[in-house]
Amino acid sequence: QVKLVESGGGEVQPGGSLRLSCEASGSIFRINSMGWYRQAPGKERDLVAVLTWEGTAIYADSVKGRFTIARGGTQTTRYLQMNSLKPEDMAVYYCNAEITVTFGTLRQTYWGQGTQVTVSS
């Protein structure tokens, strides 16, 4: 059973920084991609940033230049460094991963439990 565990949310003033972490555990053959989506009240869940197996980072236009996604010290950890936070960044952030559990099987999508990011003065 694959599980994604997130940490690092919280409250910060505009212009501040936070770092989110996501760690995958369980039976994993390969993490094809891992990243974050966010959902503000009354809005759809949108992509924030994702890191592919090949190491390509993809960002939403609204966070380019402010957020950085990176691998952690292990193959199953990813970080999202969020700088220059704005009130419009406030949302619940969900870790997302496309994982192949066993060689030769289809990849599956997994979600973390979500972590609240509040940007307020």
Side-chain angles (χ1 to χ4, degrees):
Q1 182 73 16
V2 174
K3 188 176 181 181
L4 302 181
V5 178
E6 306 174 39
S7 61
E11 184 168 355
V12 66
Q13 292 185 343
S17 298
L18 286 172
R19 189 176 79 160
L20 304 183
S21 301
C22 182
E23 181 165 5
S25 63
S27 178
I28 297 171
F29 171 72
R30 190 169 90 168
I31 297 176
N32 299 286
S33 66
M34 185 185 287
W36 277 265
Y37 286 68
R38 67 186 180 189
Q39 187 168 22
K43 295 189 176 181
E44 294 185 351
R45 190 175 296 188
D46 294 324
L47 175 71
V48 177
V50 65
L51 190 63
T52 69
W53 166 257
E54 296 82 5
T56 300
I58 301 169
Y59 297 96
D61 288 342
S62 60
V63 306
K64 285 180 181 177
R66 300 188 297 122
F67 291 12
T68 303
I69 188 169
R71 285 192 175 95
T74 67
Q75 292 293 326
T76 56
T77 303
R78 304 291 184 271
Y79 297 113
L80 182 67
Q81 179 66 42
M82 304 185 295
N83 298 328
S84 303
L85 282 160
K86 304 176 181 180
E88 50 264 43
D89 294 318
M90 186 163 61
V92 178
Y93 283 67
Y94 294 92
C95 182
N96 166 275
E98 299 285 331
I99 293 174
T100 301
V101 174
T102 305
F103 175 76
T105 61
L106 296 175
R107 64 182 64 184
Q108 299 180 56
T109 301
Y110 296 88
W111 292 94
Q113 78 281 6
T115 186
Q116 178 69 46
V117 171
T118 300
V119 184
S120 175
S121 55

